[in-house]
Each structure stands twice: as C-alpha cells, then as structure tokens.
Amino acid sequence: MENRTLEERLEAAERELADFEHQPPLGWRAYQRGRNERMGIVLALKRQLEDG
C-alpha cells in the first residue's frame, strides 16, 4: 500500500462511503452492515486527525 497522509486516507474513506450510499439497493441488513463498517473507518480516521 502506498504511503498516504491521514487527510488523504480520510478523503478516500469518505468517497467510498458516499459511493456505497449511492449504489443500487441491497437488503437492509447488508446495507446497514456495509454503511456502519465504512462509517467506522471514517470516524476512526477523523479521531486520529484530531488527536494529531
């Protein structure tokens, strides 16, 4: 994996979350599981940036 800054990783994770939310419908549980997983990544990266 290439070296990326936290900001770049956060931007990529936010794009992935947005892309996931705009894909064709899944079953509700699959959607929630995938969204929660991606949101967890976004929140963890934001926390890392804030902690510095």
Side-chain angles (χ1 to χ4, degrees):
M1 176 183 242
E2 63 187 72
N3 285 334
R4 296 188 293 173
T5 66
L6 282 175
E7 289 90 357
E8 291 170 332
R9 290 172 54 200
L10 176 59
E11 288 173 12
E14 287 174 334
R15 276 193 308 271
E16 183 178 336
L17 176 61
D19 290 345
F20 178 80
E21 289 178 336
H22 292 99
Q23 73 179 3
L26 300 169
W28 180 246
R29 286 189 179 149
Y31 171 80
Q32 284 297 110
R33 188 171 39 252
R35 185 181 185 285
N36 290 345
E37 181 179 314
R38 287 161 178 81
M39 183 60 75
I41 293 168
V42 168
L43 293 175
L45 289 169
K46 284 184 178 182
R47 225 175 284 124
Q48 286 180 14
L49 277 173
E50 289 172 357
D51 293 344

